[in-house]
Amino acid sequence: MSFTFNLHFLKVFLFLSLLVGTTTTHAKSPVNEEAFTFTTWNKQTAEGYKGFFEVIENRSNPESRSLKLHYVRFPTTGKKSGPPIIYLAGGPGGSGIMAVNYRFDMFMALREYGDVIALDQRGTGRSNDLPHCESRQVVPALKKTTDSQYIEYHREALRECLAFWHQKGVDLAGYNTLENSRDLKALKQHLGVEKIVLWGTSYGSHLALAAIREIEDSIDRVILSSAEGLDQTVKLPARTGSYLDRLQLALDQQPAAKVAYPDIKVLIDRVHTKLERAPVKIHIPQREGHTLEYLLQRRDMQQIASAFIADPKSVAHLLGFYRTLDLGHVPAFDRVPRRYFPDGFLSPGSPISLSAMPTAIDIASGISTQRKSEVKEQAKTALLSDYLNFSYHYDGLAEQLDLGDAFRSNPHSNIPILLFSGTLDGRTYIESQQEAMAGLSNATLVTVENAGHNLFMASPEIQDTINSFMEGRPIEKTTLTVDLPDFSPQ
């Protein structure tokens, strides 16, 4: 009897051991993965796994199609590693996998604390199977157009693209930040783990904040930079003024820059007034070797500035543009990476085109009625008007996609959160970031003096601070300082 009992116990023990072993193996090697060597643009390499998991395009539609979401996983190198760390790219529309190229050192450093995963969110990078839409709308390249005419060109382009995507079978209601949050829970289940760490920037922080409310029990801790609150998709125009005041103080620290730019607000306003009265014909070099003519208007500079104020380095170029125009010359726009310019600016005369994911995401996150009124009123006197986020001008065209004011309210949680905010971030202003953290009782806010929107790689101290946070040590230094670029005219 005793022998039989012991034999039975042994069988049960072996069976349970097998189950435990299977679970552990699954957590380390999920299905749909294959080993490969990741090679960055500058030839740095790391061994990892590329994989995918499947989700429903629109979880509220039982007939919705299945999507494959791709990721790259770098296994942990630490002896006491914790939950996997999932990188959430900005944009919306940025590729998490592509981000490894320019944040490689951070991806590698974080492996000390767990597997690090670069995720391509639905509709981005390798997870994008959505057709790009090219409308029939063309903004005249050499004809002066009013703001209302220009905006109507784009509104009509969106109407065309909404119809185009519907015809192609794309369910745009599946492309919003709530669905992205639920994808993170699906990824957690795919990995076979109980908790995940979120690491996001810009729109990635917007997604992380939504996930805190949507899947709070799945999140261990969160690392953020350049936070965009849930009702901050459209930025407040008046806050550009406060940002420019901080920028002026930075310029005044450099004698040559102080002489060249004694009052940047006056300079910007003066150039906008000149362009409003008399737009300037410019020649824009193309990749094919020829040039295109374009009539540069006040509105163009407002849109260019809305992008270039993101970081101090790009601001240095922007100030050069304004100074050159103020002196009566034409800026050399071809000397700056094309990614900074508004869509279509460097290819004048081309049809307006739209990408499905970022278009739908911004419309879905939307804007509250109160904030809409604030933006409308502030835009009347703000230097950049209401061009900080063009989705503001799509208001009312796809109301069925809007997630509503309940989505836009601040989350409340005691999850440990670490936020880095740059004082010279012209996209997600530091005041707004602090407001986005209201309700998060366990958040540590670190101010990075002189840093802009893309600050994660701005200083080794940032990584040191993250290390302390991941190790559960108190963050004693909550103000860091980085060097300013040379703002003097080149």
Side-chain angles (χ1 to χ4, degrees):
M1 183 72 176
S2 176
F3 176 81
T4 304
F5 174 81
N6 289 338
L7 181 61
H8 175 72
F9 178 83
L10 179 61
K11 288 180 179 180
V12 171
F13 176 80
L14 290 173
F15 177 73
L16 290 175
S17 298
L18 181 60
L19 285 179
V20 172
T22 302
T23 302
T24 303
T25 302
H26 176 72
K28 293 182 178 179
S29 301
V31 296
N32 303 326
E33 281 194 352
E34 60 177 288
F36 85 122
T37 301
F38 190 100
T39 304
T40 66
W41 296 328
N42 60 356
K43 306 305 179 184
Q44 293 174 291
T45 61
E47 300 304 313
Y49 298 87
K50 53 185 176 181
F52 68 88
F53 61 106
E54 297 190 57
V55 297
I56 302 300
E57 185 173 49
N58 181 357
R59 290 176 172 88
S60 63
N61 180 3
E63 298 181 358
S64 196
R65 68 190 180 115
S66 177
L67 304 176
K68 287 184 178 179
L69 304 189
H70 293 261
Y71 64 88
V72 168
R73 179 172 66 88
F74 299 103
T76 183
T77 56
K79 295 179 180 179
K80 295 182 179 180
S81 60
I85 302 159
I86 301 173
Y87 178 76
L88 307 177
S95 163
I97 295 175
M98 191 73 71
V100 180
N101 289 281
Y102 47 87
R103 293 205 168 107
F104 183 79
D105 290 345
M106 284 196 77
F107 274 87
M108 297 301 105
L110 285 171
R111 294 173 72 182
E112 178 69 23
Y113 306 106
D115 289 4
V116 183
I117 295 170
L119 170 67
D120 274 353
Q121 301 160 30
R122 54 173 59 204
T124 72
R126 298 179 190 174
S127 303
N128 183 14
D129 65 354
L130 303 174
H132 193 74
C133 174
E134 185 174 283
S135 76
R136 294 170 295 178
Q137 304 302 308
V138 179
V139 178
L142 294 172
K143 178 184 176 182
K144 185 175 181 179
T145 56
T146 65
D147 282 16
S148 59
Q149 289 171 329
Y150 180 84
I151 290 166
E152 187 52 39
Y153 279 119
H154 283 267
R155 286 175 65 86
E156 185 57 35
L158 177 58
R159 292 185 188 100
E160 290 182 18
C161 287
L162 290 171
F164 167 78
W165 288 318
H166 179 73
Q167 182 203 7
K168 293 294 183 180
V170 177
D171 190 346
L172 282 186
Y175 295 87
N176 60 57
T177 303
L178 280 183
E179 291 288 4
N180 279 344
S181 299
R182 293 158 186 162
D183 291 343
L184 296 176
K185 185 172 183 178
L187 175 55
K188 177 188 79 82
Q189 293 167 340
H190 170 75
L191 297 171
V193 296
E194 293 184 3
K195 298 276 188 177
I196 52 177
V197 173
L198 301 182
W199 165 33
T201 184
S202 194
Y203 170 72
S205 70
H206 186 82
L207 171 53
L209 292 172
I212 287 170
R213 188 168 57 212
E214 185 72 12
I215 59 166
E216 181 177 9
D217 291 344
S218 298
I219 301 172
D220 179 74
R221 59 187 55 231
V222 181
I223 304 165
L224 301 177
S225 77
S226 310
E228 179 183 274
L230 297 180
D231 193 17
Q232 295 177 355
T233 295
V234 179
K235 312 303 182 286
L236 294 175
R239 288 203 166 151
T240 307
S242 300
Y243 155 78
L244 290 173
D245 290 338
R246 292 192 292 273
L247 178 61
Q248 185 70 62
L249 291 175
L251 292 168
D252 291 348
Q253 296 177 35
Q254 301 177 0
K258 185 176 182 178
V259 171
Y261 307 111
D263 192 326
I264 53 176
K265 284 183 174 179
V266 170
L267 169 65
I268 292 170
D269 185 56
R270 186 167 60 237
V271 170
H272 288 175
T273 301
K274 287 181 179 180
L275 290 173
E276 183 65 21
R277 292 172 180 166
V280 175
K281 184 181 289 188
I282 62 175
H283 294 80
I284 302 178
Q286 300 295 291
R287 290 193 178 105
E288 299 80 9
H290 60 280
T291 61
L292 293 175
E293 290 186 328
Y294 184 71
L295 196 64
L296 184 73
Q297 300 184 53
R298 178 263 309 151
R299 177 186 57 248
D300 295 308
M301 285 308 299
Q302 288 175 320
Q303 292 193 83
I304 289 170
S306 294
F308 274 70
I309 58 176
D311 293 294
K313 287 184 179 179
S314 56
V315 165
H317 291 293
L318 178 67
L319 294 176
F321 295 161
Y322 276 107
R323 186 170 186 271
T324 300
L325 287 164
D326 193 45
L327 294 172
H329 305 304
V330 178
F333 291 116
D334 59 314
R335 295 180 183 176
V336 183
R338 300 173 71 91
R339 68 178 180 273
Y340 286 112
F341 292 96
D343 290 341
F345 175 78
L346 294 180
S347 301
S350 300
I352 297 170
S353 62
L354 294 171
S355 298
M357 184 272 193
T359 301
I361 290 279
D362 279 349
I363 290 173
S365 289
I367 182 171
S368 65
T369 301
Q370 178 183 344
R371 194 175 184 87
K372 191 187 307 180
S373 298
E374 290 180 298
V375 171
K376 183 177 181 180
E377 187 61 30
Q378 292 178 13
K380 295 175 183 178
T381 56
L383 284 173
L384 303 186
S385 187
D386 49 20
Y387 287 112
L388 288 166
N389 295 89
F390 202 83
S391 62
Y392 171 76
H393 299 291
Y394 294 145
D395 184 54
L397 291 185
E399 293 180 334
Q400 72 279 8
L401 301 180
D402 194 308
L403 292 172
D405 285 348
F407 165 80
R408 289 183 280 270
S409 61
N410 279 345
H412 290 77
S413 175
N414 63 355
I415 291 175
I417 299 171
L418 176 64
L419 169 66
F420 296 93
S421 301
T423 58
L424 296 183
D425 180 349
R427 287 298 300 157
T428 49
Y429 301 121
I430 192 166
E431 308 97 317
S432 300
Q433 295 189 52
Q434 292 166 354
E435 291 168 1
M437 293 295 107
L440 301 174
S441 59
N442 199 8
T444 300
L445 279 56
V446 177
T447 299
V448 187
E449 297 283 349
N450 302 330
H453 191 66
N454 300 288
L455 58 72
F456 269 139
M457 305 291 288
S459 166
E461 284 189 290
I462 292 174
Q463 185 63 58
D464 293 341
T465 305
I466 292 174
N467 293 347
S468 295
F469 177 71
M470 293 299 294
E471 293 164 14
R473 293 186 279 122
I475 309 300
E476 297 178 354
K477 191 175 181 181
T478 56
T479 300
L480 310 177
T481 303
V482 299
D483 292 335
L484 290 166
D486 183 0
F487 287 117
S488 61
Q490 302 300 313

